[in-house]
Amino acid sequence: SEVLLEELDHVGPATAQKLKDAGFTTVEAIAVSSPAELATAAEIGESTAAKIILAARQSADIGGFETGDVVMERRKLVGKLSTGCTEFDEMMGGGIDTQAITELYGEFGSGKTQVAHQLAVNVQLPKEQGGLSGSVIIIDTENTFRPERIKQMVEGLSERYGQEYDPEEFLKHIHVARAYNSNHQILLVDSAMELANELKDSDMPVRLFIVDSLTAHFRAEYIGRGTLADRQQKLNKHLHGLQKCGDLYNASVVVTNQVMSKPDAFFGDPTKPIGGHIVGHTATFRLYLRKSKGDKRIVKLVDSPNLPDGEAIISVTTPGLRD
Ligand code: ADP
Ligand code: MG
């Protein structure tokens, strides 16, 4: 039942090609874009762009305004992805929400990548076991994705639930792409959306998007005051692209972010996550991770639209995250 770009009103073959080249490969991507964005991408006027967006919205069934009861219906679909840790889940009101961005920030070694790996495993479990029966897309910017670690965590599941789980099966539902720089990272969100669209009606639709790390490339590439605004603008656009992924596919979006362990003249406060207010305003849930004794980590919920702030203690162990 997939609608092709060419089938939309006001989209001829040439425009369709230009849109695809610019990364607008699906009707959904067009439906949630802005006229200015689309006009630039396809070299068309803004009024034509607006008509195309309207056609895409009608076709993709994505409206502009919605009434509260419709929003309520969609909110009812919000899924909860279990972290595998009781306190952590409780602090999050049952788990990591779908249709939202959850930011994990903390120093190097605080466990951000470990949490990301565990969620990539857990998302594949059925609802009864805290999963979303779905697959995961990981944008790996620091080359820290380790299939061996996934294998250990799947073995940890077998231990936990007393039944056999096949690590190979889990690895097959983890789609990983390395991002080589910030522009590449942004483009990968479009590819992620395409893949999610392909898997939409499969038995393992994409229910989790991970970007680990969201900010590392941006931090490395944009140095100096003059480029700060540019960096923030790109980061902002990137985050909105990710939010779209979460909304369109009723998926959780989890991003990691560093804090500086040493004060840095330009990036300022050592305990503040980088990306500043842009990430802060776009992420729905912000979680601050810090090391404690041994394998213990403290996870602090610092910002949430509907939950009280709180703290949870987790353990990062070889078979995975534990209480
Ligand atoms: P971050 O992404 O925040 O920089 P990580 O998530 O990579 O940090 O955390 C690394 C830490 O996770 C290690 O220092 C170690 O404590 C723990 N860890 C990593 N792999 C394992 C494992 N196989 N078994 C137990 N603990 C592990
Ligand atoms: Mg990491």
Side-chain angles (χ1 to χ4, degrees):
S1 69
E2 178 140 346
V3 180
L4 299 172
L5 263 50
E6 292 84 347
E7 291 170 19
L8 295 174
D9 283 347
H10 312 283
V11 178
T15 303
Q17 193 54 51
K18 275 182 191 153
L19 286 168
K20 284 177 200 165
D21 291 345
F24 292 93
T25 51
T26 63
V27 173
E28 283 82 2
I30 294 172
V32 293
S33 67
S34 73
E37 228 181 328
L38 208 67
T40 312
E43 295 165 315
I44 50 178
E46 280 202 25
S47 67
T48 308
K51 284 177 197 156
I52 293 173
I53 291 168
L54 192 62
R57 283 187 182 165
Q58 282 158 353
S59 158
D61 205 14
I62 299 169
F65 286 99
E66 293 174 314
T67 48
D69 55 326
V70 175
V71 178
M72 187 66 179
E73 277 308 305
R74 195 178 56 242
R75 292 291 306 163
K76 278 188 201 155
L77 294 177
V78 170
K80 297 278 183 182
L81 170 55
S82 172
T83 63
C85 306
T86 319
E87 271 187 33
F88 192 174
D89 281 353
E90 276 171 9
M91 179 175 74
M92 299 304 291
I96 308 288
D97 273 21
T98 62
Q99 301 178 33
I101 298 178
T102 300
E103 175 195 0
L104 303 168
Y105 72 93
E107 273 181 34
F108 174 77
S110 59
K112 304 180 293 292
T113 297
Q114 298 303 310
V115 175
H117 276 68
Q118 186 70 62
L119 294 173
V121 169
N122 293 358
V123 71
Q124 304 188 35
L125 295 169
K127 197 177 172 187
E128 310 82 71
Q129 290 172 345
L132 300 169
S133 301
S135 41
V136 49
I137 292 179
I138 302 179
I139 298 177
D140 179 14
T141 77
E142 298 186 306
N143 194 21
T144 52
F145 173 74
R146 291 291 176 277
E148 303 88 317
R149 193 68 188 107
I150 296 294
K151 188 165 178 280
Q152 290 176 337
M153 287 175 168
V154 174
E155 286 161 0
L157 284 184
S158 303
E159 202 174 284
R160 176 169 227 169
Y161 294 110
Q163 77 184 77
E164 276 308 305
Y165 292 90
D166 180 5
E168 290 294 318
E169 280 305 309
F170 279 76
L171 287 167
K172 276 182 194 157
H173 297 116
I174 301 177
H175 305 269
V176 193
R178 282 282 307 280
Y180 293 96
N181 55 54
S182 65
N183 279 323
H184 185 211
Q185 183 179 330
I186 291 168
L187 285 175
L188 282 174
V189 176
D190 297 325
S191 317
M193 226 187 248
E194 239 174 282
L195 180 56
N197 208 49
E198 274 170 38
L199 295 174
K200 195 168 59 182
D201 301 314
S202 74
D203 56 351
M204 287 293 270
V206 177
R207 303 301 301 279
L208 173 63
F209 294 86
I210 292 172
V211 184
D212 184 13
S213 143
L214 175 76
T215 44
H217 282 316
F218 287 92
R219 174 165 189 265
E221 292 165 29
Y222 292 85
I223 303 163
R225 285 267 173 223
T227 57
L228 182 63
D230 191 26
R231 183 191 82 180
Q232 295 302 75
Q233 206 180 336
K234 285 221 163 108
L235 204 45
N236 186 39
K237 196 170 168 233
H238 185 40
L239 279 162
H240 281 98
L242 289 166
Q243 180 67 53
K244 282 178 201 171
C245 290
D247 289 347
L248 285 174
Y249 302 104
N250 191 21
S252 303
V253 180
V254 172
V255 302
T256 69
N257 195 359
Q258 301 150 283
V259 298
M260 303 300 104
S261 50
K262 277 193 225 122
D264 174 313
F266 175 58
F267 289 96
D269 189 331
T271 64
K272 290 280 191 303
I274 67 171
H277 72 280
I278 292 288
V279 182
H281 287 164
T282 313
T284 323
F285 300 96
R286 310 196 86 187
L287 296 165
Y288 178 41
L289 270 70
R290 61 187 199 277
K291 280 187 188 166
S292 184
K293 275 208 187 100
D295 60 14
K296 297 263 185 280
R297 300 289 188 278
I298 301 163
V299 187
K300 187 174 186 191
L301 177 62
V302 288
D303 199 5
S304 148
N306 57 339
L307 294 169
D309 290 359
E311 272 190 1
I313 300 193
I314 62 168
S315 301
V316 178
T317 72
T318 301
L321 301 189
R322 293 291 183 270
D323 286 329

